Amino acid sequence: MPLDPARTVAELRELQELTGDENGAQRVAWTDTWERSREWLGEKLAGLPLELEEDEAANQWWTLRGESERAVLIGGHIDSVPNGGWLDGCLNVMAGVEVMRRLAEDGRPAATVRLVNWADEEGARFGRSLIGSSAAAGTMHDQDELRGLRDAEGNALPEVLARHGVDLDRATEARRQLDGAAAYLELHIEQGPVLESMGLPLGVVLGTFGVERRQVTFRGQAAHAGSTPMDKRRDALAGAAKLELELREIAKRTGGGAVCTMGGVVTRPGIVTSVVETAECLLDQRHLDAVQLAEMLSNAQAASRRFAEEEDVEVEWERIWSIEPILFDEGLIELADEAIREVAGESHRLPSGPLHDAAEVSRGGVPTVMLFVQSLRGLSHTKLEDTKPEHLELAVRALDALTTKTIARVS
Ligand SMILES: [Zn+2]
């Protein structure tokens, strides 16, 4: 069976029909629709000489045994956010299906090849992303926190997972799935505007951004909006507003794809007749380089102290969450560049702002690389998410070429 990329596009449409509605994809992990999509995926692979296994974290694995035990992994996620797009996550699962068909037809490969459908990449129901891949990578260190998570209806995470065959206490036993893994390949839509703006269908991902999230609280003094002269105010919002504008300058000065976002500001008392007493700001900073990221954070902190002094208010910083940048494998980045140039003529290297399962697998010690295919208008996590069919077909070809090169490299 030669590679048939058009079939991948048709199957993605079929999946959309089966598990979406007028608002978009509805394959939220740990729901009946998600289970239906997993069964459908199994049907697509039935009849191929593959070993099927579901691990302790509900990840589905299809293994094509090769001459060598060393394994090339191809991974994606069939779960979606509510009202999601038709490509996020499932593109690589379905492209992987096509590559597995082609490989199985060609006879025993030199290395073992395994397709994995990760469980709950999106974290849409419980707010914790990358469940299946972190369990397998040995990076799930928050099982105590997970035990306390509930969905919007109040259902506890451990009980919901148990209904889908997952014992949270044993989920990390999925770790053994990465034994013998020599490489991990993931194709994903870009979910951003870079490739489209360059007029390129495909790019190689250098790694995923490190992230620093903080709550920054400015504290001033509530005072009557009518009786307090402008030069006597201790306005917390003034500090927050100056910081928001300075963040843009910090990102611009740092460069290299740096992004800084003040995603929210809550002001109190928050009434029209009072000067703002407290302004709680949510800050998100990202960079691919750990040193630059640390510098951006300390620059923002210094700026906030300067603005606090100027406005005669206080400022306080609290850590919400952070993750270090994760750099993909240099050798695989080279191979991915070659594969893209072969199928599309030109390649481009770019970082990923969003996290992906690939980041966890890479942290788990497996050499990893990702391919991005252009997203139209940069949109994702909405039913408007789209990619031209001819670009999707090129992406399947690129994944296939990269798989062939990687098998040759590791065997
Ligand atoms: Zn995704």
Side-chain angles (χ1 to χ4, degrees), residues 17 155 165:
E17 276 296 302
N155 301 296

Side-chain angles (χ1 to χ4, degrees), residues 77 88-89 121-122 186 188 191 356 381:
H77 62 93
D88 182 0
E121 192 271 351
E122 300 286 1
E186 185 174 331
H188 206 281
Q191 302 176 290
H356 291 285
H381 284 193

